[in-house]
Amino acid sequence: MSANLERSIGSQIRQCVSLLQSDDPLVLVAGLRGLLRVGTPPSELRQYLADVYSAFLRSFDAEIDVDVGSVELKKVALEGLTQLLRGDGGQGKVALRLNLKGALIPGLFDLSKLELLCICDFSGARFLGGVDFRGTKFSGHVDFTRAEIVGKGSFSGASFLGGVDFSMTTFHGDRTVFKGTDFTNAQISERSTFYKARFMDKVAFMNATFSNSVSFSYANFEAGANFFAANFERSCVYNSCVFGGDAEFSRAKFLGFVSFSEAKFKGRAELSAAVFEDDVDLSRVNFEGQFQMVGAKFHKDLSLERCWSTGPLYVRGCVFKGPVAFFRSEFSGPVHLEGCTFASSVELSKCNFDAITSFAESVFKGSLSADESVFRGATSFIKVRLPGEQGTLGSTFLGEVVSDLPNPQILGNSADERRSEGALSILELIEPPAELLEQLD
């Protein structure tokens, strides 16, 4: 850019800015529209213009701002800010700081495919037209705390390299997508958090990568959440979350500690083919819908202590290398622990099994303890393998017991066992869901 052209553009900008001192909304709109018509601003004025546009987006109370002139000002300011960030090519690196704290964004906020090198403050902002951050790369920390996103929330393929905070953010739209989003934190001290976030409709995190710790504690997923094939490379916490719809975690990989303590699953919870490399805490979890897990692998401890389940719990072909504890859990629906391999101890003490329970075809290589547990429905021990020195389970069986154990005394005197080589397992007596049969094929 020649010196003369740069001076001319600078002069035009100053004239437009002088109009922004007015109290007349029409004059303010004219000043902002004048800025839009100016060519590419000098580099030393770009931050100033970004601050001007941002100030107009922040200038009115979002709760009471209904004035037509105010909304028009914000629309023009949004257009100016977007044009400024995109520059001539529509894509590229942006080093300008963005302060939209508490702003009201009247239309779609589109920063897709940009590389933002600065810290971005979107805390408390209201995005009334949704956001489009597809493929956007955030190098600095991004703050969305207490923000509201109305409409689509597109984050597919985005990268958050400096950490991101969605604490208490509300997602109102039905198209919130984090597919393939990379939550890789540049600094080990930073983490990603969705603490108390609210997703009013379905949200998708398929194939997302969390390279550092992430917290979803107290988050509310009103209509379902999809974490299919997501990668969690460090700790992941879902304590006290509410899943109002289906929760999909099939093929997810958890390399660090995982906790769902006191979470509530109102719909179907699916963890088939998931891999857990560290300890898993499912204590005090409430399963109101179906819990389904086929072919999952647990490398360390699994705690299901004091859980409460009213729907069917279906676990098939899973491998548990560490201890498994179901201590003091309540199962009102049927429980299927079939075809699983338990390499270490299994603790089922003081549990209540009110419906059909099946351990058919499972292998227990460590100890199996069920002291003071009560089985009120039919119970199957068909083709179960227990260690040779296994003592009595110490349980009370009030329903029919189907067993082909070589040593029926293992079940204890309270069991009215029916030992039969040709007895059917519970799995054969009850038809599994159609979708499960497709997975087994």
Side-chain angles (χ1 to χ4, degrees):
M1 182 184 298
S2 67
N4 289 336
L5 179 58
E6 186 170 322
R7 282 194 297 272
S8 175
I9 291 176
S11 175
Q12 294 177 54
I13 290 176
R14 283 189 289 273
Q15 291 175 18
C16 294
V17 169
S18 66
L19 299 178
L20 302 182
Q21 312 302 316
S22 174
D23 294 329
D24 187 339
L26 295 178
V27 176
L28 292 174
V29 170
L32 288 178
R33 290 200 180 281
L35 288 175
L36 291 178
R37 291 192 293 268
V38 175
T40 304
S43 57
E44 63 270 17
L45 288 178
R46 288 173 60 82
Q47 183 61 65
Y48 172 76
L49 290 178
D51 291 341
V52 168
Y53 292 132
S54 298
F56 273 97
L57 292 170
R58 297 194 313 268
S59 59
F60 302 98
D61 191 327
E63 296 298 328
I64 62 174
D65 182 17
V66 294
D67 180 75
V68 175
S70 299
V71 174
E72 180 65 20
L73 278 173
K74 289 181 181 293
K75 288 183 178 179
V76 178
L78 174 60
E79 182 181 353
L81 181 60
T82 303
Q83 178 177 297
L84 179 67
L85 295 175
R86 291 212 170 275
D88 293 331
Q91 299 180 15
K93 297 182 178 181
V94 179
L96 305 177
R97 64 179 178 273
L98 290 179
N99 179 9
L100 292 172
K101 183 175 182 179
L104 176 64
I105 313 297
L108 175 64
F109 192 53
D110 183 0
L111 299 185
S112 58
K113 298 182 180 180
L114 291 178
E115 184 174 353
L116 302 177
L117 307 177
C118 54
I119 295 175
C120 300
D121 189 352
F122 304 131
S123 60
R126 296 184 66 197
F127 299 90
L128 302 184
V131 297
D132 188 351
F133 294 121
R134 289 175 296 175
T136 305
K137 184 177 181 180
F138 296 90
S139 295
H141 185 76
V142 186
D143 189 355
F144 279 96
T145 57
R146 299 182 185 275
E148 290 188 58
I149 298 176
V150 181
K152 73 174 183 178
S154 299
F155 296 86
S156 295
S159 299
F160 294 94
L161 304 184
V164 61
D165 193 346
F166 284 100
S167 294
M168 293 170 278
T169 300
T170 301
F171 299 84
H172 291 278
D174 60 351
R175 292 176 292 171
T176 301
V177 181
F178 290 87
K179 183 178 180 181
T181 303
D182 187 355
F183 294 88
T184 300
N185 303 132
Q187 299 179 6
I188 201 68
S189 61
E190 296 286 358
R191 70 173 186 173
S192 302
T193 179
F194 289 83
Y195 174 79
K196 285 190 175 181
R198 295 189 66 191
F199 299 89
M200 307 307 291
D201 214 307
K202 294 180 180 179
V203 59
F205 286 88
M206 301 96 72
N207 298 105
T209 298
F210 299 87
S211 66
N212 210 335
S213 299
V214 59
S215 172
F216 287 88
S217 291
Y218 295 95
N220 195 328
F221 300 90
E222 295 280 354
N226 189 342
F227 288 87
F228 180 86
N231 291 289
F232 300 88
E233 298 180 4
R234 293 183 180 270
S235 64
C236 178
V237 179
Y238 288 88
N239 292 347
S240 299
C241 278
V242 176
F243 294 89
D246 294 345
E248 174 65 76
F249 288 91
S250 293
R251 300 189 182 278
K253 292 184 179 180
F254 300 87
L255 304 185
F257 170 72
V258 182
S259 177
F260 286 88
S261 181
E262 299 188 20
K264 179 180 290 187
F265 293 86
K266 295 184 177 182
R268 179 176 58 86
E270 177 69 71
L271 280 79
S272 293
V275 177
F276 300 86
E277 297 284 352
D278 209 329
D279 295 345
V280 180
D281 184 3
L282 291 170
S283 62
R284 301 179 186 273
V285 173
N286 184 347
F287 297 102
E288 295 183 9
Q290 176 177 314
F291 178 84
Q292 184 166 285
M293 190 163 62
V294 179
K297 294 182 180 180
F298 294 81
H299 289 264
K300 291 189 177 180
D301 296 8
L302 169 62
S303 173
L304 281 152
E305 297 182 9
R306 299 180 184 272
C307 286
W308 181 52
S309 174
T310 54
L313 189 144
Y314 198 96
V315 180
R316 173 72 178 174
C318 297
V319 176
F320 302 88
K321 294 185 178 181
V324 180
F326 289 87
F327 184 71
R328 289 188 181 276
S329 290
E330 302 278 340
F331 301 98
S332 299
V335 175
H336 307 270
L337 294 174
E338 298 166 324
C340 297
T341 299
F342 298 89
S344 188
S345 62
V346 178
E347 176 66 74
L348 291 167
S349 296
K350 298 184 178 181
C351 293
N352 284 313
F353 298 85
D354 294 336
I356 292 172
T357 304
S358 176
F359 300 96
E361 302 180 10
S362 287
V363 177
F364 296 86
K365 297 182 179 181
S367 62
L368 172 61
S369 175
D371 292 345
E372 300 183 49
S373 289
V374 179
F375 295 81
R376 292 181 171 83
T379 308
S380 172
F381 288 92
I382 295 297
K383 298 182 181 180
V384 172
R385 290 172 55 188
L386 297 171
E389 300 300 323
Q390 178 73 42
T392 61
L393 295 183
S395 304
T396 299
F397 295 87
L398 302 179
E400 179 183 19
V401 177
V402 183
S403 168
D404 61 358
L405 293 171
N407 181 12
Q409 284 73 32
I410 288 176
L411 300 177
N413 295 329
S414 60
D416 180 21
E417 71 274 359
R418 298 188 180 185
R419 185 167 182 267
S420 172
E421 296 296 336
L424 295 175
S425 71
I426 299 298
L427 179 62
E428 294 169 304
L429 292 173
I430 299 177
E431 183 178 357
E435 64 269 17
L436 179 59
L437 293 176
E438 294 177 1
Q439 294 181 33
L440 293 176
D441 290 341

